[in-house]
Every structure is written in structure tokens, then in C-alpha cells.
Amino acid sequence: MTARSEDTGAAPAVERGANALLEVEGLHAGYGHVRVLHDLTFSAGEGEIVAILGPNGAGKTTTLRAVSGEIRPRGRIRFGGEDITGRPPEALVRLGVAHVPEGRGTFTGFSVEENLLLGGYTLGRGELRERVEHCWSLFPELRERRSQRAASLSGGEQQMLAIARALMRPPRLLLLDEPSLGLAPLVTRRVFDVLRRIRAEDGTTLVIVEQNANLVLGFADRAYVLESGRISLSGTAAELRERDDVRRSYLGY
Ligand code: ATP
């Protein structure tokens, strides 16, 4: 399918094929004996925004953890054509896979600026400064709080810091787990405006897990619906918004 949502602009939506940056095929994953994901196949194209929707416990977070290398899956994950299945998180970060986990994952005892510096610890001094400046330009509200401990930030600022930290080593793929969770609507809008900018300016591919279907189906190019660890539906965001079953179950009208 090749349509896109009207309000995201830029990149064309891509199904599996030449422009796929992330290709996941027959993915199974779980925790010990608990099987959570069953035979997931999905993809995200270069510069595409892909949403993963679904009810509580469907396996959305587990999907991102499998792609980012935090849990070891079965199946195949390709990134830029390279088989990355089973590689550890640090190796994937070096390739350009960044993960912003639910609950944000900042170092709360460190300052805002220290969090950014930690996010870019492998960079040389010049590039490190450049990336920090880039983050300040995306999130001026963080620059104002650069010396403040992350623990003292508002929920929205912590989410911004988590995203900024993930941008320090410029990612090709940004995995975001519930970026709107617990944020006021205005703050959510601000965060999503920056995410849109990151895609438009850097061509970064975004894979976003969200429970807020109204929000994410107005933002993504394509979406997958995950139910009980299986993909039950997929299509362009515009197509899914038109479906009666999606409206009833996820959009509330
Ligand atoms: P939510 O929106 O509530 O975060 P989700 O779709 O992200 O849900 P997951 O967090 O991936 O779902 O959880 C999927 C299933 O895996 C759930 O049944 C959950 O209880 C189970 N699970 C998650 N983490 C673990 C763990 N560390 N050990 C065992 N089971 C887990």
C-alpha cells in the first residue's frame, strides 16, 4: 500500500521491498516460558512513520524490546538489509537503532546536559557538542534546564529528554514506546511536532507504539494492530481510520 496520512507530509509509505529499512519476519518472542509474540511480520521504510497499536498486554512493548535487542527473539530481523537478529542493544545503537522505552529511561540523578553527554559518550568532542546543540535547537525548553537534575523535570520534559538522548548518536531508526503516556494534550502535541520535524529534517524512520490511536493514526503513514501477540490488521493510517472495527475498538466512535 502506498498512501500516506494527509498531515505527515514528506516520505512515501513503503511496504516490504527495496526501501525497507526495518524488516521483521516470523518474529517469536517472550519471557522464559511465557510466549508473547507469535509470528510477527512487519516492516518500516526509510523515513516512514509506522505505528503499532493494540490493547494492554498485546505485546507492543515486547515487540520494541525484541527489535532493540533487549530480548532475544526467534525469526529474522533485518536492518538496512543486514541480518541483526539476536544482536545486543549496544551493537544495534552503533548501527543506528535507538530505543526510547516506556517510562522514559533517563538517568534521573544526572542533570539534563549530563544525560545528553551520556547518550553520546562514544562521540568525539566536536560531534558531541554539535549533537548537544542540535538537541537544544529541537528542545529549547531543555536548554533552559540544562543544569537541572532529570528527576526534577516535568513528565513532558522528561519525555523530551529521553528523545533528545536517543538522538545524540544520530539514529536511522527511532523506536518510541508510548511517547504520549501521562502527558497533557498540549505537551503531547509539542512532542509529536518535534518527532515530525526529526523525520522531515533527518529522514529518520519512526516506529511508535501508542495506545492513543486517535493521535497516532493522525500522525503515522502506516499502522499495525497487535492483538494477543499477533498482527490482526495492517494498512495505511488513513485506511485504518476508515474501518468500522478500528473505530469501534480503538477510536471510540
Ligand atoms: P501495555 O500497553 O500494557 O504496555 P503491551 O502491548 O506493551 O501492553 P507488553 O508489555 O509487551 O504488552 O506485554 C505483553 C505480555 O507479556 C503481557 O502479558 C505481560 O504480562 C507479559 N510480560 C511483559 N514483560 C514481562 C516480563 N518481564 N516477564 C514476564 N512476562 C512479561
Side-chain angles (χ1 to χ4, degrees), residues 166-183:
L167 296 176
M168 283 296 294
R169 289 196 271 181
R172 292 175 73 193
L173 171 66
L174 190 55
L175 306 167
L176 297 140
D177 199 347
E178 303 259 9
S180 78
L181 192 71
L183 305 188

Side-chain angles (χ1 to χ4, degrees), residues 184-199:
L186 260 181
V187 181
T188 299
R189 204 155 96 201
R190 166 89 186 102
V191 167
F192 275 70
D193 281 348
V194 174
L195 293 177
R196 204 174 267 128
R197 201 177 140 190
I198 291 165
R199 185 272 279 274

Side-chain angles (χ1 to χ4, degrees), residues 1-2 13-26 40-46 48 50 76-79 81 222 224 231 234:
M1 297 172 194
T2 53
V14 182
E15 269 294 1
R16 288 197 71 230
N19 292 332
L21 178 66
L22 175 71
E23 297 168 277
V24 174
E25 219 177 299
L40 301 194
T41 293
F42 65 95
S43 66
E46 292 274 6
E48 193 180 23
V50 171
R76 192 180 339 246
I77 305 175
R78 283 201 195 84
F79 180 69
R222 281 191 304 123
Y224 294 88
I231 290 171
S234 65

Side-chain angles (χ1 to χ4, degrees), residues 196-208:
R196 204 174 267 128
R197 201 177 140 190
I198 291 165
R199 185 272 279 274
E201 291 178 5
D202 304 329
T204 310
T205 300
L206 309 182
V207 174
I208 305 189

Side-chain angles (χ1 to χ4, degrees), residues 45-198:
E46 292 274 6
E48 193 180 23
I49 301 180
V50 171
I52 301 177
L53 297 172
N56 281 328
K60 303 180 300 297
T61 293
T62 305
T63 304
L64 294 193
R65 298 189 70 203
V67 173
S68 65
E70 283 166 31
I71 56 172
R72 233 189 137 79
R74 283 192 295 120
R76 192 180 339 246
I77 305 175
R78 283 201 195 84
F79 180 69
E82 191 177 339
D83 190 340
I84 59 162
T85 321
R87 297 224 193 140
E90 185 48 40
L92 297 183
V93 170
R94 276 199 301 273
L95 283 179
V97 179
H99 182 200
V100 181
E102 188 178 347
R104 297 163 193 150
T106 54
F107 296 109
T108 50
F110 289 92
S111 73
V112 168
E113 188 160 23
E114 284 164 346
N115 265 277
L116 294 189
L117 296 175
L118 284 166
Y121 74 96
T122 54
L123 303 176
R125 188 184 288 250
E127 200 181 353
L128 196 56
R129 278 323 321 165
E130 209 174 280
R131 294 307 295 173
V132 170
E133 287 306 321
H134 180 61
C135 289
W136 295 153
S137 76
L138 289 172
F139 297 109
E141 47 276 83
L142 293 181
R143 186 192 344 232
E144 287 168 25
R145 290 170 168 64
R146 62 202 294 167
S147 308
Q148 212 169 301
R149 268 170 21 119
S152 67
L153 298 177
S154 70
E157 289 158 354
Q158 286 194 28
Q159 183 64 68
M160 292 176 204
L161 179 58
I163 294 169
R165 197 162 66 95
L167 296 176
M168 283 296 294
R169 289 196 271 181
R172 292 175 73 193
L173 171 66
L174 190 55
L175 306 167
L176 297 140
D177 199 347
E178 303 259 9
S180 78
L181 192 71
L183 305 188
L186 260 181
V187 181
T188 299
R189 204 155 96 201
R190 166 89 186 102
V191 167
F192 275 70
D193 281 348
V194 174
L195 293 177
R196 204 174 267 128
R197 201 177 140 190
I198 291 165

